[in-house]
Amino acid sequence: MNQFIKRAAIFNLVVFLLLACSKKDEFDFNQHNKVAVITRLTDDVSKNGATLHGRVNTKNGSQLQEIGFLYGINSTLSNGIKLKISSSLDTGEFMLKIAELTPSTVYYYKAYATNKNGVAYGDISSFTTERGYLPVSKTLDAEQIGRTFATVKGMVKDSGGYTIKRRGICYSSTNTMPTVLMSYQNSNDADSTYSVNLTNLNAGTNYYIRSFIETSFGVGYGDVLTFKTLAPVVASGVSTNRPSNITMNAATVGGNVVNDEGSPISKRGIVYSSTTTSPSLENAFSINLGSGIGVFSGTITDLNVNTTYYVRAYSTNAAGTSYGSVETFRTLLPSLPTSLTTYTASSISKNSAYLSGYVGNSGGGTIQSKGIVYSANTSSPTINNGAILSGGSGTGSIGSTVYNLSSNTTYYARTFATNEAGTAYGAVISFTTSPSYSAPTDVSTYSASNISTNTVTLNGYVGGNGNSTITEKGFVYSAYYSTPTLSNATKSYTTLSTVGSFSLSASGLSKNTYYYVRAYATNAYGTTYGSVISLYTN
């Protein structure tokens, strides 16, 4: 009895529970979600897509509102992407194709269905997309080639399964395998065929080009092709600046190069000349002021003072040299030389003297000549009215002996120096040459008087002392020599130094004898004799 009661109680409990569950399933969709929705295996898995499969087993008595999948790279699908079917909301098998997936990536997914009571999910499943690879690009021939530009195209053949981050063209004039680590240009085109406009190229230059595509997997390149830009021409827009800061021997010059016409400016600067009105690199001086386009300036030095110069800018590239317009300027005059000193004359003789001086400052110009100018005719000698003792050129000392001067004459002298501005003079000094010394001059034997047997008075004359003191004058006489001298005759003399007529008495003569007589005068420079006369003693 007791066992029967027990069995009855258990039966009633089971029935109750079954009835309770049945009622619950009819209204609560979440109660048996594993039964309601099943996640199936995927198929058609590729690098970027897959087909997801699921099954709705029951509606649980309520109309379905959504059917779809959640998928993502998070295994919990806490932030998964929802995809839903827009039609055929019914029980049974369903599928969805998903795209834009990343290669070599594990994706998680689960099916779901929704009614008014809630959402039922299938189990989470996973799949791995196929492995990707480098994108494949094709390089197309360059078009619209100019001296400094060209249009180059590329084509996307295969992205390798990854999203394209950028695409463009690599190019180089030196490297036969250009890469994105060198010169490149991105394209803004999103189509499979894309292009870039290369600019700032060098004229007459071979370029190596190849297309590239970059994804997260890496960079894929197309084949290398080549093209050559058009031949260069000389630079244009070359202008010459007006010279400034002009001094006696320098000036600031410059110019501008606007366009190198695709051939880099290897050299630029200024050509200048004082002899040709069209200076060039071939016929004039030049200064190099760098390379490239743009404004440039510099200073030319060592110019001649007070001189007209012709200048113009130049620029040289592979095609040759082009010039700007010609500008002219004239350098300034210097000041006259200064600090000229005339020293006192020395070693003065009757016909020579040592003259000296000094030129201390060129006045900013070039001392072309310097020296001493001297004259006996004017107290202000110049290079135009006096004799010149040359001292060469440049600053410095002057000194030398001048000859052929007149004796006993006053001369005036001063230093001079000539530069581009003219001639400057120092202070005037004067000096007097010594008299012209000689033996006495104009000596005459006049006559004999008061002749006796052994005495006689002799008369003579001395006209000049030879600019030296007469130390002795008198007469020499001899009965033996017809040309008596101090060395072969007897003399009668006096030490009086005066000039003019004089008389002396000679004694001790022999009677009845012929004598030869002549006057003489002696100074430091010699003895001068008068003419010979004769007399006869009684």
Side-chain angles (χ1 to χ4, degrees):
M1 182 67 180
N2 289 335
Q3 289 181 350
F4 176 78
I5 293 173
K6 256 170 113 176
R7 288 176 182 171
I10 291 171
F11 175 77
N12 290 333
L13 179 59
V14 170
V15 172
F16 175 78
L17 289 173
L18 288 171
L19 290 172
C21 288
S22 175
K23 189 169 184 177
K24 187 77 172 176
D25 287 344
E26 185 178 355
F27 297 105
D28 186 356
F29 188 65
N30 287 317
Q31 193 61 220
H32 295 284
N33 53 19
K34 287 188 178 180
V35 176
V37 179
I38 297 173
T39 303
R40 298 286 196 186
L41 295 177
T42 59
D43 59 12
D44 298 329
V45 178
S46 65
K47 298 185 298 294
N48 306 117
T51 301
L52 306 182
H53 293 268
R55 179 179 176 82
V56 178
N57 291 325
T58 178
K59 299 179 182 179
N60 281 347
S62 294
Q63 183 177 355
L64 295 175
Q65 296 173 339
E66 282 186 23
I67 296 174
F69 295 92
L70 283 177
Y71 74 96
I73 60 174
N74 191 312
S75 62
T76 64
L77 294 176
S78 57
N79 58 350
I81 300 171
K82 180 185 285 188
L83 282 179
K84 61 185 178 179
I85 296 174
S86 60
S87 61
S88 301
L89 300 179
D90 203 350
T91 58
E93 300 285 340
F94 67 93
M95 67 178 183
L96 279 175
K97 289 185 177 182
I98 58 176
E100 299 182 357
L101 304 183
T102 302
S104 302
T105 303
V106 177
Y107 284 89
Y108 300 89
Y109 69 99
K110 63 182 178 180
Y112 78 90
T114 303
N115 68 6
K116 68 179 181 178
N117 296 311
V119 181
Y121 295 97
D123 293 330
I124 294 177
S125 187
S126 67
F127 66 92
T128 301
T129 51
E130 293 180 353
R131 184 177 183 275
Y133 45 81
L134 282 176
V136 180
S137 177
K138 181 179 180 181
T139 309
L140 303 180
D141 290 333
E143 302 174 353
Q144 300 176 2
I145 301 171
R147 285 192 300 273
T148 61
F149 59 86
T151 298
V152 182
K153 294 183 178 181
M155 179 183 293
V156 179
K157 301 292 289 183
D158 190 339
S159 68
Y162 293 89
T163 300
I164 295 175
K165 293 182 178 180
R166 60 174 178 165
R167 68 194 80 188
I169 300 295
C170 303
Y171 63 101
S172 174
S173 63
T174 57
N175 195 305
T176 59
M177 295 292 287
T179 69
V180 292
L181 299 178
M182 303 170 194
S183 296
Y184 69 91
Q185 186 168 327
N186 293 330
S187 174
N188 295 323
D189 296 337
D191 298 333
S192 60
T193 299
Y194 56 91
S195 66
V196 297
N197 294 320
L198 301 181
T199 58
N200 297 321
L201 304 180
N202 293 332
T205 303
N206 286 315
Y207 280 90
Y208 303 91
I209 56 171
R210 61 173 173 169
S211 58
F212 74 88
I213 301 170
E214 183 179 4
T215 67
S216 58
F217 192 88
V219 179
Y221 295 95
D223 294 335
V224 176
L225 300 180
T226 63
F227 72 91
K228 185 175 183 178
T229 50
L230 299 183
V233 296
V234 295
S236 62
V238 181
S239 59
T240 308
N241 295 343
R242 182 67 181 167
S244 61
N245 302 322
I246 300 168
T247 65
M248 291 178 293
N249 49 28
T252 298
V253 294
N256 186 22
V257 183
V258 176
N259 193 335
D260 62 12
E261 296 296 345
S263 179
I265 304 300
S266 59
K267 185 172 67 172
R268 68 186 184 188
I270 295 294
V271 290
Y272 61 99
S273 174
S274 62
T275 58
T276 176
T277 59
S278 298
S280 68
L281 289 172
E282 290 73 30
N283 64 11
F285 296 104
S286 66
I287 57 171
N288 187 349
L289 297 175
S291 59
I293 62 174
V295 177
F296 58 91
S297 65
T299 301
I300 51 178
T301 57
D302 297 327
L303 304 180
N304 296 325
V305 299
N306 194 33
T307 303
T308 298
Y309 282 89
Y310 305 90
V311 300
R312 60 175 173 172
Y314 75 89
S315 65
T316 302
N317 64 9
T321 300
S322 55
Y323 296 92
S325 58
V326 176
E327 295 285 344
T328 63
F329 70 94
R330 189 174 185 85
T331 50
L332 303 181
L333 275 171
S335 301
L336 287 171
T338 59
S339 301
L340 277 68
T341 303
T342 311
Y343 298 128
T344 302
S346 61
S347 301
I348 303 169
S349 70
K350 63 181 180 181
N351 54 16
S352 66
Y354 184 82
L355 304 181
S356 61
Y358 182 80
V359 178
N361 191 304
S362 66
T366 300
I367 301 296
Q368 300 159 346
S369 62
K370 68 178 186 289
I372 306 290
V373 61
Y374 59 96
S375 175
N377 301 318
T378 175
S379 60
S380 297
T382 68
I383 58 175
N384 298 316
N385 64 13
I388 295 175
L389 169 64
S390 176
S393 59
T395 58
S397 298
I398 310 160
S400 188
T401 300
V402 294
Y403 297 95
N404 300 319
L405 303 180
S406 298
S407 61
N408 200 30
T409 303
T410 298
Y411 283 87
Y412 302 91
R414 57 178 171 173
T415 304
F416 76 90
T418 301
N419 67 6
E420 296 85 353
T423 301
Y425 296 91
V428 176
I429 60 103
S430 64
F431 65 93
T432 301
T433 54
S434 302
S436 180
Y437 295 103
S438 65
T441 60
D442 195 17
V443 177
S444 301
T445 308
Y446 282 166
S447 62
S449 61
N450 303 320
I451 302 171
S452 67
T453 58
N454 54 14
T455 63
V456 65
T457 299
L458 301 175
N459 303 299
Y461 176 82
V462 178
N465 63 6
N467 292 319
S468 182
T469 302
I470 293 177
T471 57
E472 181 180 304
K473 63 182 178 181
F475 298 91
V476 289
Y477 52 94
S478 174
Y480 303 102
Y481 297 101
S482 60
T483 307
T485 66
L486 288 173
S487 61
N488 64 11
T490 304
K491 67 178 179 179
S492 176
Y493 69 96
T494 180
T495 57
L496 290 176
S497 61
T498 57
V499 296
S501 299
F502 68 98
S503 298
L504 289 174
S505 175
S507 61
L509 303 179
S510 298
K511 64 180 179 179
N512 299 323
T513 302
Y514 281 100
Y515 282 89
Y516 302 96
V517 181
R518 60 176 175 173
Y520 76 90
T522 300
N523 64 12
Y525 293 91
T527 298
T528 303
Y529 295 92
S531 57
V532 177
I533 64 171
S534 62
L535 61 89
Y536 183 77
T537 56
N538 292 330

